[in-house]
């Protein structure tokens, strides 16, 4: 059995579906999961991640665990607590969703330090482990959905600076392979899309998917910062703006790892936009 934490998120939801389609026994977990969140026949459990006792009903008898990094938020269990409970339940393989920032922003509290603590705990766990380090997600564009629906406009900073954002479905595909195929133990996979795209190009792709133009309005850094501070802590805002506005060469590198694992090129942002156009209509 494979346990998937964060099963209602962009990656976890796709991962549960991939595993179920492959005939794998899955337990999908999150704090508010329901029947509507999983394919028919998939077991789901509202996991209490605040105590080891809350994890035991989920992990007992499991073979493998997908650990979403948000499962180890400060108000929940330490990474080591979750991994100890997993090992006690019989789990022998763990795949952790970390962040590219562990390597590119190691001193960042939001992107590097927390991720490193999770990765270090996984390496010490005594289980076979695989670490996934994606950069930005294609699905971050959902933040634009309301302004696209209501005004056919997107306001964003750094309109012509490109990053190789990745499709969450490709992250899920790599995770699925690492969870039930051999040959992935001890690997760290950097996951990106197939090419750099700029915010302006991503907005154009959304317009193409809708069949009508979407206007791009470039924000200043200060305008973007003020907007982001309404829903993000200041350290996260500052690191995010640095990545978007002054990415390092490593953050702009297109990684071969999705293709190496899946045997096909990663999905483009335009492909993602076409599949999810309904969110912007």
């Amino acid at each position: 059995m494979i346990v998937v934490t964060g099963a209602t998120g962009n990656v976890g939801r796709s991962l549960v579906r991939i595993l179920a389609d492959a005939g794998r026994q899955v337990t999908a977990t999150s704090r508010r999961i329901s029947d509507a969140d999983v394919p028919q026949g998939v077991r789901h459990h509202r996991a209490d991640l605040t105590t080891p006792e809350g994890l035991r009903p989920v992990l007992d008898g499991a073979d493998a665990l997908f650990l979403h990094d948000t499962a180890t938020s400060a108000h929940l269990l330490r990474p080591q607590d979750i991994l100890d409970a997993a090992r006690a339940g019989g789990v022998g393989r763990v795949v952790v969703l970390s962040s590219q920032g562990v390597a590119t922003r190691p001193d960042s509290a939001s992107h590097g330090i927390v991720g490193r603590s999770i990765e270090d705990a996984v390496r010490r766990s005594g289980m076979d482990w695989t670490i996934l380090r994606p950069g930005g997600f294609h699905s971050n564009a959902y933040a634009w959905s309301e302004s696209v629906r209501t005004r056919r406009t997107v306001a964003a900073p750094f309109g012509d600076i490109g990053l190789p954002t990745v499709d969450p479905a490709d992250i899920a595909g790599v995770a699925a392979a690492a969870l039930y195929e051999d040959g992935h133990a001890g690997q760290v996979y950097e996951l990106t899309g197939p090419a750099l795209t700029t915010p302006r190009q991503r907005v154009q792709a959304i317009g193409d998917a809708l069949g009508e133009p979407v206007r791009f309005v470039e924000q200043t850094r200060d305008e973007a910062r003020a907007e982001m501070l309404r829903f993000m802590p200041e350290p996260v805002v500052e690191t995010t703006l640095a990545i978007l506005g002054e990415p390092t060469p490593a953050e702009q590198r297109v990684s071969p790892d999705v293709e190496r694992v899946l045997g096909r090129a990663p999905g483009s942002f335009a492909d993602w936009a076409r599949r999810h156009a309904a969110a912007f209509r």
Side-chain angles (χ1 to χ4, degrees), residues 120 143 154 216 228:
D120 288 347
V154 168
F216 179 80
M228 294 165 73

Side-chain angles (χ1 to χ4, degrees), residues 80 83-84 87 91-94 120-129:
Q80 195 61 56
L83 294 166
D84 286 346
R87 190 172 181 187
V91 173
R93 180 178 296 190
V94 59
D120 288 347
V122 166
R123 288 186 171 94
R124 296 192 304 264
S125 68
M127 295 180 279
D128 289 343
W129 55 264

Side-chain angles (χ1 to χ4, degrees), residues 4-168:
V4 176
T5 66
T8 57
N10 288 319
V11 175
R13 191 181 296 272
S14 293
L15 176 57
V16 169
R17 186 179 64 252
I18 291 168
L19 293 171
D21 289 347
R24 303 288 166 170
Q25 187 178 4
V26 187
T27 297
T29 74
S30 79
R31 281 173 286 172
R32 297 181 181 87
I33 199 164
S34 68
D35 289 341
D37 294 313
V38 298
Q40 187 173 5
V42 170
R43 179 190 177 209
H44 62 84
H45 189 96
R46 290 190 179 187
D48 178 5
L49 297 178
T50 60
T51 66
E53 290 75 18
L55 286 171
R56 289 194 182 109
V58 179
L59 294 170
D60 283 351
D63 304 305
L65 169 67
F66 174 74
L67 181 59
H68 194 292
D69 56 359
T70 58
T72 58
S73 298
H75 63 288
L76 302 179
L77 287 174
R78 296 179 303 119
Q80 195 61 56
D81 294 330
I82 294 177
L83 294 166
D84 286 346
R87 190 172 181 187
V91 173
R93 180 178 296 190
V94 59
V95 176
V96 63
L97 180 62
S98 183
S99 168
Q100 184 188 62
V102 171
T104 63
R105 307 276 170 170
D107 297 325
S108 163
S110 59
H111 289 67
I113 295 172
V114 172
R116 175 66 67 185
S117 70
I118 297 169
E119 291 188 11
D120 288 347
V122 166
R123 288 186 171 94
R124 296 192 304 264
S125 68
M127 295 180 279
D128 289 343
W129 55 264
T130 307
I131 293 169
L132 311 182
R133 290 179 178 170
F137 291 10
H138 292 343
S139 54
N140 290 347
Y142 282 139
W144 300 337
S145 60
E146 182 181 1
S147 67
V148 173
R149 286 196 305 267
T150 59
R151 300 185 297 279
R152 288 295 189 257
T153 299
V154 168
F158 315 118
D160 298 306
I161 295 177
L163 289 168
T165 60
V166 63
D167 192 328

